[in-house]
Each structure stands twice: as structure tokens, then as C-alpha cells.
Amino acid sequence: MSRTSKTRTFQAPKGMNDVLPNVQKYWEKFFRISKELALYYGFEIIETPVLEFADLFKKGIGLNTDVVEHEMYTLKTKGGDFLALRPELTAPVVRAYIENGFANQPQPIKFFHCGPVFRHEAPQAGRYRQFHQADFDIIGEGDPVVDAQTIQLIYGILKEVGLKGLSIHINSIGDKICWGKYRDELKLYYRNKVNHFCKNCKKRFRENPLKILDCKEEKCVALKASAPNSVDYLDKACHDHFKLVLEFLDELNIPYILDPFLVRGLDYYTRTVFEIMPEDINSSQTTLASGGRYDYLVSQLGGKPAPAVGGSIGIERVVNEMRRQDVKVNAIKAKTRVFLAQLGDLAKKKSLKLFEEFRKNNIYVSESFGRDSIKAQLRVADRLGADLALIIGQKEALDDTVILREMQSGVQEIIPLEKIINEVKKRLKKIHPRQSVNNQQI
């Protein structure tokens, strides 16, 4: 007796999702607007590999960060290289800046970067193992005006895609000169609370107490309520820098909230840090965009010291928020004005060629080549709201002719095949477009 084996049903890996057609219109709007604004602000488009040497992130992000310790997807190649799927986009951009000699060009260099990133963490609402970011980096400029401009650009993109009620949280964590005293004060504050920490924060207390402030565990969040504020330990240079950033934002009428416990979770941040989120939701999984200054990263990765600032937008989170806020997005779909119907194999051959000729002439044509019934195809043409139907049957295919039918009047005539494109162009100019049942605006 034969044993029946079950056929395996494949699914997407956990935390990795399909972007289905009904959601594509939101992605298209985001990409169009973010690219338009990035180019207007003087950014150049760059792409980097999905795979990088793992040491790039260990050195750039920090060995003791959650991303490097727990979340990177790593692999060893047959040649012995230890690589990682990129968990973020800033370190690869800085690597490209150094490797390709951009430091020798007039500064600053502005890069716009889009693509997938990967983090092996517990999937939940708003958090995925493969997700996409739009990244904006300005390398080679330390003036606080570019901090404000980066926030202005990212905030502007989120507003342009249709989001409302956005909240900008901002802080300054200072630089190497400020960190020593502030970390000492944090250790002093937390020293009697260590037993109440989560497992990770007990380690953070020893290695870098600033990261305790970034912990999202409920008990650790409660413990930071009276912790020292980083702005109270800024030296004059960092204080003046932050003051100017806020003054620029005030001048732009961009609202913000001073968040003394905002530090971000990556080691490379200095001075200004920010996050943008919906003001009616308080959750780490609803942060739509974030970023800050990273003045030491270029030198950490082997380049000549160069100040830098940047920010990233989480595209999935923005799309989810667009849908939550019911942002109206029209699908980019050409209006069907011409429908090509056919009957028989020879007619299909002629129709395939004719279909491509219409494309070359920038005339959008719909078809239903898999159907054999002319009547069924004309019903589709009517449902789409086509103004003209072009019909090629067996006789027309042999005679190199096309039946041109005006859908509203039903009037039709036979047109030689070589003249059909020019004839369609003339008719479309005369006929007022019909409204289809399911017509979507461009």
C-alpha cells in the first residue's frame, strides 16, 4: 500500500512580509515624495550592498548594542569572510564615503539611501525581521543648521505623504567631553536599583549606563523617572550647539518636545538625537523616524575625522500609519481608453505585435488575450470604460485589417492594420473619455 505524503505549504519566513498590490500605492507615494524632497534638498542617491563585513557594524554600531549582540544575521562564506545582512544603513553609507574617496570632494556630501535591513528580533506590530528604511546622511558638516535641516526634511516627507499629529522628540547627549561625568552621575543614581533591572540592563549598567535609558522594559522605564538629564551635563560647545538647533526649529515653526531620556540605542550617536512618532500613540514600535549626529563614526571606521548627521524613516511603519490615519492615496493606474480584442491563434499573434506598437506610441491599451469569446472581451472593455475597441478576428488577421468600434455609439469600421495607430490617435482626440465602473484617478 502506497503512503501518501503531504505536500508542504510554504510561507514567508517569520517576521518577513509580502508587500501586496493593495498596499503598493502607499509605498509608491512614499518613494515618490521622499525622492523628490531629497533631490530638492541636494541629496544624491546611493545604494550599498545588502551584505557587509560583520566587523563594520561591530565597530560602527558598538559591540555591546542589542543590534550587534542579539539581532544581526551573520554568515561565513566559503572563502572564510564573516558577513552580516545589514541591520541599518548609516554604517554602510559611511563605509562607501571613505572607500570611494568622497572626503576629497567639496564638503558636505549628502546621501539619500533606500533599501531593506534585517534584524533578528521578536516580530510584533510595527517590528519586523526584514524591513525597509529611507536614510538621509550629511557628512562633512558640523554646523547645527544641518541638524535642523535633517529634521526639517524628514518631518516634511512625513507631512507630505499625508500624516497628521506628529510628535518630534529631541535631546542632546553631548560628546566625549561630556559623557564621563554624565555616566558617573547615572551610575550613582542607578547603583541601588540594579537588582530591579532586566537582565540586559544589569549588563548595561557595567558597560554603558546611557543605554539603560533606551530600554523599553516596563520596570526599567519606571526606574528612569528621576534619572539625571543629559542636557544638565553638556559642556559649553555642546550646549550652544543644541541651543542653536532648537532656535532653528523654532524659526521653522516645527513643534518639538524636549525628551531628557532620549539617547537612541546605537553607540555612534553624539549631540543631537531625535525621534518622530504619532502623538496619539506612546509606543517604541510606533517611532516612524529617528536619527541624530554621529561626529565620530567616520574616524571610527578608518576615515579622516568628519562631523556628520543623519536620519532614517521606517517605511513599513509609515505605510501602516498612513493606513491607520486613512490617508487618501490614488493608485497610479492609466485610464483604459483602448481595448484590444482578438479571436484565434493568428489574431493573437497579430495582437501581441500591435499591443507593443501601441506601447511604443504611448497609448495605453488593455487586453484579455486568454479569452476566446469576442462578446466576453467586449464586456470587459465596457466594464473598463474603454472608448474604443479594436477587434481582430480570423478574417481581419488574414487581411491585415482591424475592426475599430466606438463603444458608446456602437459604430464600427474596418481600418488597415498599418493605419490603425494614427486612426486611434485621431479618434481619441475627438471622443470625450468615458467613466469606467472601477476607474481610479492618476
Side-chain angles (χ1 to χ4, degrees), residues 378-402:
L378 291 178
R379 280 199 298 268
V380 174
D382 194 54
R383 189 174 72 248
L384 292 173
D387 300 303
L388 301 174
L390 308 178
I391 304 168
I392 302 178
Q394 294 180 31
K395 184 177 186 304
E396 289 74 32
L398 290 169
D399 295 344
D400 281 336
T401 58
V402 179

Side-chain angles (χ1 to χ4, degrees), residues 295-429:
D295 290 340
Y296 304 131
L297 184 56
V298 177
S299 58
Q300 278 176 222
L301 296 180
K304 292 188 296 185
V309 66
S312 294
I313 300 174
I315 301 175
E316 280 88 351
R317 290 187 182 182
V318 169
V319 167
N320 289 343
E321 185 62 16
M322 290 169 73
R323 299 178 75 188
R324 188 183 79 88
Q325 291 193 20
D326 197 25
V327 172
K328 302 303 178 188
V329 180
N330 293 321
I332 300 175
K333 186 175 181 181
K335 164 72 173 70
T336 296
R337 297 200 65 193
V338 181
F339 188 91
L340 182 54
Q342 44 63 44
L343 180 65
D345 289 342
L346 181 59
K348 284 181 182 178
K349 293 174 185 176
K350 300 278 186 179
S351 296
L352 281 170
K353 188 174 181 181
L354 185 58
F355 184 83
E356 179 63 12
E357 290 301 316
F358 274 109
R359 184 194 67 79
K360 291 177 180 177
N361 282 270
N362 297 314
I363 300 173
Y364 184 83
V365 175
S366 293
E367 47 74 26
S368 187
F369 286 156
R371 295 175 186 262
D372 289 325
S373 164
I374 292 290
K375 186 178 289 187
Q377 291 177 72
L378 291 178
R379 280 199 298 268
V380 174
D382 194 54
R383 189 174 72 248
L384 292 173
D387 300 303
L388 301 174
L390 308 178
I391 304 168
I392 302 178
Q394 294 180 31
K395 184 177 186 304
E396 289 74 32
L398 290 169
D399 295 344
D400 281 336
T401 58
V402 179
I403 298 173
L404 188 152
R405 177 188 179 101
E406 293 186 1
M407 292 296 291
Q408 282 184 295
S409 66
V411 174
Q412 60 186 45
E413 61 181 288
I414 298 172
I415 308 292
L417 187 62
E418 72 270 12
K419 296 182 178 179
I420 191 63
I421 289 176
N422 287 334
E423 185 63 31
V424 165
K425 287 180 179 179
K426 285 193 290 185
R427 298 287 180 104
L428 290 177
K429 288 180 181 177

Side-chain angles (χ1 to χ4, degrees), residues 128-145:
Y128 310 105
R129 290 180 173 176
Q130 176 182 315
F131 55 101
H132 296 75
Q133 289 183 340
D135 195 67
F136 308 84
D137 295 280
I138 304 176
I139 305 175
E141 181 56 76
D143 195 295
V145 71

Side-chain angles (χ1 to χ4, degrees), residues 56 58-62 90-91 94-95 97-98 137-142 147 172-180 183 208 210 234-235 237-238 241 266-273 292-310:
L56 173 71
K58 291 179 180 179
K59 197 166 185 179
I61 296 174
T90 301
V94 171
R95 190 267 309 148
Y97 168 89
I98 298 167
D137 295 280
I138 304 176
I139 305 175
E141 181 56 76
D147 301 37
S172 176
I173 59 172
D175 59 16
K176 288 179 178 178
I177 299 170
C178 314
W179 290 339
R183 287 175 180 175
N208 186 354
L210 263 75
L234 300 179
D235 64 8
C238 290
H241 182 101
L266 308 180
D267 278 1
Y268 55 61
Y269 283 115
T270 58
R271 293 190 169 181
T272 308
V273 288
R293 183 161 281 283
Y294 49 95
D295 290 340
Y296 304 131
L297 184 56
V298 177
S299 58
Q300 278 176 222
L301 296 180
K304 292 188 296 185
V309 66

Side-chain angles (χ1 to χ4, degrees), residues 207-264:
E207 296 167 349
N208 186 354
L210 263 75
K211 288 195 175 67
I212 299 171
L213 300 175
D214 195 50
C215 183
K216 303 302 186 290
E217 292 284 339
E218 193 173 326
K219 57 185 177 181
C220 297
V221 171
L223 288 172
K224 74 181 180 184
S226 301
N229 297 342
S230 61
V231 290
D232 293 333
Y233 297 88
L234 300 179
D235 64 8
K236 187 177 187 307
C238 290
H239 176 274
D240 292 348
H241 182 101
F242 191 45
K243 181 173 178 286
L244 273 174
V245 173
L246 300 181
E247 288 176 0
F248 289 131
L249 294 177
D250 289 336
E251 185 64 27
L252 292 166
N253 292 317
I254 294 178
Y256 57 83
I257 296 169
L258 290 172
D259 187 342
F261 303 126
L262 179 62
V263 294
R264 302 295 303 143

Side-chain angles (χ1 to χ4, degrees), residues 174-224:
D175 59 16
K176 288 179 178 178
I177 299 170
C178 314
W179 290 339
K181 185 166 178 54
Y182 182 49
R183 287 175 180 175
D184 288 345
E185 290 296 321
L186 280 176
K187 280 202 166 187
L188 190 63
Y189 170 77
Y190 278 124
R191 66 179 180 178
N192 296 322
K193 302 176 177 65
V194 176
N195 291 335
H196 301 288
F197 285 160
C198 69
K199 180 182 176 182
N200 288 333
C201 280
K202 288 177 181 177
K203 185 178 179 183
R204 290 166 182 150
F205 178 77
R206 297 190 302 271
E207 296 167 349
N208 186 354
L210 263 75
K211 288 195 175 67
I212 299 171
L213 300 175
D214 195 50
C215 183
K216 303 302 186 290
E217 292 284 339
E218 193 173 326
K219 57 185 177 181
C220 297
V221 171
L223 288 172
K224 74 181 180 184

